[in-house]
């Protein structure tokens, strides 16, 4: 009979502990890593807690706690009357590779997923879905950081927001919250807020909608993304304005859509082109103030677009991102107010009348779609944050919202006028700025892409933000590159004095 081999023993040589930090955690990490990399193989006997404590000159309690954690996680096993041994585990190479290449949800505490700290972690992609490739080509760029400055696009005059009022309403909510509201809520959103939004849209937009048709979202982008997830199948064509809001295009492309750019003229999206796109059953438009060209879709074109949707059984996503800002005459009725066949999904947001970080928007849906959209949204976020919805509902119910909109509209008009009045006049290769009868930005045409890029570089040199019109076109657009050039300037982000100062710096940069 062969003699039984004695168990392997462990010596603490090489374990160095920093006494300024937690000793238990350091010892646990050191032993655990030795198991993972194979220095401590299965069956190795660990020293008695008292012996290891003496060898490392630390308290026995620190060793006991480290051993207990290793045992709880399955790295060691205890043999009654015989001590503590390294448990029987997969081979060290296999174990280390599995734990360090992406099973992040199952990682035990303390294992780094940084390849520089774990040599075994291979820098390979761990998502093998086709969606990853679509994401790499259609991700949203990071927004500009830092405080607002001229002429940042998409930012309202939130320096005028009544933060004191908002703070009082927020404090009142949390001072004595309704416990029912603190439970899981309706994924479609707070019922009171939905009702107030419906009432606001009936009075301000002429939309005959009810609270039951509204789904609250985390901003307009999530509303668009929900439309893409539920209305688009991989391979479907989606008609989008070209140039247009690229973030919307990204949402549809991630859902697997084939983007069909449709030209925009002085009346809005070209419905003659849309009618030739046999694979499109979805169109995304910004009719109240086309983004970024700024044109307002004519009533005739609106009716053409609605006829297309009814005839083709298609859907129209109407993004009314800055519809509160109209500076002359009454706004035209939105598509949703003209829709008689239930083909329009209306996207609204509070970000352009409050502040972008609020992340509060909404969808007004045909009644037959509400349940599906609420269910789909619940899969991602269950429902929107409760207090923000409750505070916005109170903000609207007490009249602050309407007063604030009037204040914001006056401020945006004044800031637009400051930009137009102080514009530097004739510039080589640059058109005249339009009057901008609506919205929070205006677009100035430039005669070539090279000139556009030169002007943008000069603007950056004097710390002025201007967006390139060329960035709003689809990459495969048939429009010649020089015809895509232009400057997109937001005029609401900063007060009039800052606008004039920025234009003064631009004038020197552009003409000096």
């Amino acid at each position: 009979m062969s003699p039984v081999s004695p168990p392997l023993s462990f010596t603490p040589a090489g374990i160095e502990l920093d006494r300024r930090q937690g000793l238990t955690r350091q010892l646990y990490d050191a032993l655990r890593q030795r198991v993972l990399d194979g220095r401590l193989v299965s069956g190795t006997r660990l020293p008695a807690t008292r012996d290891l404590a003496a060898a490392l000159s630390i308290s026995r309690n620190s060793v006991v706690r480290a051993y207990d954690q290793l045992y709880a996680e399955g790295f060691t096993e205890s043999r009654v009357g015989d001590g503590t041994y390294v448990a029987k585990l997969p081979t060290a190479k296999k174990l280390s590779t599995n734990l360090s290449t992406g099973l992040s949800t199952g990682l035990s505490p303390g294992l780094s997923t940084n390849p520089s700290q774990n040599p075994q972690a291979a820098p390979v992609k761990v998502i093998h879905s086709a969606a990853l490739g679509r994401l790499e080509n259609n991700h949203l760029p990071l927004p500009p950081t830092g405080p607002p400055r001229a002429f940042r696009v998409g930012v309202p005059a939130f320096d005028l927001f009544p933060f004191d009022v908002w703070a009082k309403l927020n404090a009142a909510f949390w001072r004595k919250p309704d416990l029912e509201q603190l439970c899981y809520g309706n994924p479609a959103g707070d019922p009171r807020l939905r009702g107030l939004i419906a009432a606001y849209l009936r009075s301000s937009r002429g939309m005959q909608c009810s609270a039951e048709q509204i789904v609250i979202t985390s901003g307009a982008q999530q509303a668009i993304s929900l439309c893409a997830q539920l209305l688009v199948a991989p391979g479907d064509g989606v008609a989008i304005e070209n140039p247009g809001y690229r973030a919307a295009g990204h949402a549809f492309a991630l859902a697997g859509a084939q983007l069909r750019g449709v030209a925009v003229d002085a009346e809005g999206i070209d419905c003659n082109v849309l009618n030739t796109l046999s694979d499109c059953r979805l169109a995304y438009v910004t009719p109240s103030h086309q983004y970024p060209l700024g044109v307002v879709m004519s009533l005739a074109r609106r009716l053409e677009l609605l006829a297309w949707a009814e005839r083709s059984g298609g859907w129209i996503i109407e993004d009314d991102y800055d519809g509160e800002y109209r500076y002359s005459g009454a706004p035209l009725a939105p598509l949703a107010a003209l829709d008689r066949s239930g083909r329009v999904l209306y996207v609204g947001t509070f970000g352009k009348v409050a502040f972008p970080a609020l992340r509060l928007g909404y969808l007004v849906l045909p009644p037959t779609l509400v349940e599906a959209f609420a269910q789909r949204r619940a899969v991602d976020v269950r429902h929107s944050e409760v207090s923000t919805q409750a505070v916005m509902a109170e903000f609207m119910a007490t009249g602050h919202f309407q007063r604030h909109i009037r204040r914001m509209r006056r401020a945006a008009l004044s800031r637009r006028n400051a930009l137009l009045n102080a514009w530097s006049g004739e510039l080589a290769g640059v058109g005249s700025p339009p009057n901008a009868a609506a919205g929070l930005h205006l677009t100035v045409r430039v005669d070539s892409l090279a000139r556009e890029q030169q002007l943008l570089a000069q603007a950056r040199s004097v710390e002025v933000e201007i967006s390139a019109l060329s960035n709003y076109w689809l990459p495969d657009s048939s429009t010649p590159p020089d015809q895509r050039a232009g400057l997109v300037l937001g005029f609401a982000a900063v007060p009039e004095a800052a606008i004039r100062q920025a234009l003064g710096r631009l004038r020197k940069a552009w003409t000096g």
Side-chain angles (χ1 to χ4, degrees), residues 4-224:
V4 177
S5 300
L8 298 172
S9 60
F10 164 73
T11 59
I15 295 180
E16 297 181 2
L17 304 179
D18 184 347
R19 298 182 183 280
R20 296 169 298 180
Q21 301 180 31
L23 296 174
T24 295
R25 182 69 190 196
Q26 292 180 74
L27 179 58
Y28 156 80
D29 285 338
L31 295 173
R32 181 177 174 279
Q33 190 58 46
R34 281 163 171 74
V35 174
L36 290 175
D37 62 23
R39 284 178 287 170
L40 278 176
V41 299
S42 298
T44 301
R45 183 176 182 176
L46 300 182
T49 55
R50 193 180 308 277
D51 294 341
L52 185 56
L56 297 174
S57 299
I58 61 176
S59 74
R60 185 183 176 217
N61 285 340
S62 295
V63 179
V64 169
R65 287 193 293 267
Y67 276 22
D68 286 346
Q69 185 64 31
L70 290 166
Y71 177 79
E73 294 181 9
F75 286 96
T76 62
E77 58 188 21
S78 293
R79 301 177 187 176
V80 177
D82 194 22
T84 300
Y85 291 78
V86 176
K88 187 175 181 180
L89 299 170
T91 61
K93 181 178 180 181
K94 180 178 179 182
L95 178 63
S96 182
T97 300
N98 285 345
L99 286 176
S100 60
T101 55
L103 300 179
S104 57
T105 57
L107 291 177
S108 300
L111 178 62
S112 170
T113 57
N114 185 338
S116 65
Q117 297 177 14
N118 291 301
Q120 302 89 347
V124 297
K125 295 177 181 177
V126 295
I127 300 177
H128 302 291
S129 165
L132 179 62
R134 294 196 294 266
L135 178 62
E136 289 175 337
N137 295 322
N138 296 282
H139 66 86
L140 295 184
L142 293 176
T145 58
R149 61 181 184 180
F151 294 96
R152 187 173 295 176
V153 176
V155 177
F158 65 81
D159 53 305
L160 302 179
F161 188 78
F163 291 104
D164 55 339
V165 173
W166 187 267
K168 289 177 183 177
L169 297 176
N170 189 61
F173 173 84
W174 287 113
R175 192 174 298 117
K176 194 174 182 180
D178 181 343
L179 297 184
E180 182 179 345
Q181 288 183 292
L182 302 187
C183 295
Y184 288 111
N186 187 334
D190 179 82
R192 185 184 185 213
L193 178 59
R194 295 164 71 196
L196 288 163
I197 291 172
Y200 167 69
L201 294 175
R202 287 195 296 269
S203 65
S204 67
R205 302 288 198 279
M207 293 170 56
Q208 296 307 306
C209 60
S210 66
E212 291 71 28
Q213 290 177 256
I214 292 173
V215 171
I216 303 299
T217 63
S218 298
Q221 187 63 32
Q222 187 187 53
I224 297 166

Side-chain angles (χ1 to χ4, degrees), residues 11 157 208 316 444 462 478:
T11 59
Q208 296 307 306
I316 300 170
V444 181
V462 292
S478 60

Side-chain angles (χ1 to χ4, degrees), residues 334-394:
L335 292 165
L338 302 170
D339 182 23
R340 295 294 178 266
S341 56
R343 312 308 303 179
V344 177
L345 293 78
Y346 180 93
V347 176
T349 179
F350 290 101
K352 295 295 187 289
V353 293
F355 47 92
L358 188 66
R359 307 316 304 149
L360 192 62
Y362 54 89
L363 276 162
V364 183
L365 300 164
T368 54
L369 297 183
V370 174
E371 184 177 358
F373 271 73
Q375 290 176 345
R376 178 63 187 85
R377 186 164 187 269
V379 172
D380 288 339
V381 294
R382 184 68 70 176
H383 57 75
S384 290
E385 195 274 326
V386 170
S387 67
T388 302
Q389 295 182 79
V391 173
M392 179 56 77
E394 188 67 16

